[in-house]
Amino acid sequence: VPVDPSLIIAVQAKEDAYIPRTGVRSLQEIWPGCEIRYLDGGHVSAYLFKQGIFRQAIYDAFDRFLQKYTM
């Protein structure tokens, strides 16, 4: 379990055929306070063509950490 789920930014493809969204508990149920960003496309196309979105989520998560836990 993460120490601070509010620092988590998950990126999820809307048409992902490998990671199901129906019939399973959402990450927001498991880790209340986390953010989920949805992008168009599937699992592989998201990885190949949307890397900037994944990078931005990483940058934003680090910024959240810095704002929350540094002076």
Side-chain angles (χ1 to χ4, degrees):
V1 177
V3 173
D4 187 350
S6 71
L7 300 178
I8 295 171
I9 301 173
V11 179
Q12 188 172 20
K14 291 179 183 176
E15 289 85 35
D16 196 325
Y18 295 102
I19 310 294
R21 286 188 359 196
T22 57
V24 297
R25 291 176 58 196
S26 72
L27 268 181
Q28 291 171 321
E29 288 179 70
I30 297 168
W31 297 335
C34 74
E35 177 185 344
I36 307 215
R37 297 181 184 177
Y38 295 98
L39 54 85
D40 293 324
H43 192 92
V44 175
S45 67
Y47 175 77
L48 292 175
F49 304 117
K50 311 280 184 162
Q51 290 187 10
I53 294 171
F54 289 97
R55 286 188 188 105
Q56 189 61 54
I58 293 167
Y59 299 145
D60 293 346
F62 275 110
D63 285 341
R64 282 185 191 177
F65 171 80
L66 293 173
Q67 290 175 3
K68 194 168 185 178
Y69 292 108
T70 61
M71 300 174 163

